[in-house]
Amino acid sequence: MVVYSERFTLTLSDTVKDIAAKVGKGFDPDTAGEYSFTDNGDGTISTSTPCEAQFKADAELLMTDANMLYYVMQQKYAERWQDLTPPTLAECQTFIAAIIKATP
């Protein structure tokens, strides 16, 4: 049985909505990950999800390293979304630079 004992929350500038949709898609094992981020109406977008402790730890680490995020997105898209284009390294760098808050 999977226990979601943690919550991962991420807030970014709304200038990266399109990139956030690509990253959200990469993290989602089924469909609709591109809709993970909601507009807060104040110039920011955010997402929040219950998760396992390991997912939270991994996600927090990925939010600090564009190269790792890029690598993981390449893998996830190759596994699940071969017909879609994953975020580029430059997009991953822009995404991380736009992070306002990632919950600890």
Side-chain angles (χ1 to χ4, degrees):
M1 181 173 139
V2 176
V3 176
Y4 296 120
S5 60
E6 302 289 332
R7 177 167 287 278
F8 179 73
T9 302
L10 185 63
T11 303
L12 303 104
S13 166
D14 68 1
T15 60
V16 296
K17 285 180 186 177
D18 292 340
I19 300 169
K22 287 182 169 184
V23 171
K25 183 76 170 176
F27 278 116
D28 196 336
D30 45 39
T31 60
E34 64 271 30
Y35 305 111
S36 298
F37 289 87
T38 57
D39 191 325
N40 297 322
D42 62 357
T44 66
I45 57 174
S46 61
T47 188
S48 185
T49 185
C51 58
E52 295 175 296
Q54 188 60 55
F55 176 89
K56 182 178 180 181
D58 292 346
E60 288 174 345
L61 179 60
L62 289 173
M63 296 305 109
T64 67
D65 188 323
N67 290 319
M68 280 197 308
L69 179 61
Y70 171 74
Y71 177 76
V72 167
M73 290 294 105
Q74 297 300 306
Q75 285 185 316
K76 298 297 185 184
Y77 272 72
E79 291 170 11
R80 302 181 189 136
W81 316 112
Q82 300 87 6
D83 57 330
L84 300 176
T85 304
T88 65
L89 178 56
E91 287 175 322
C92 290
Q93 292 166 334
T94 300
F95 178 85
I96 288 177
I99 293 174
I100 295 167
K101 182 178 180 185
T103 55

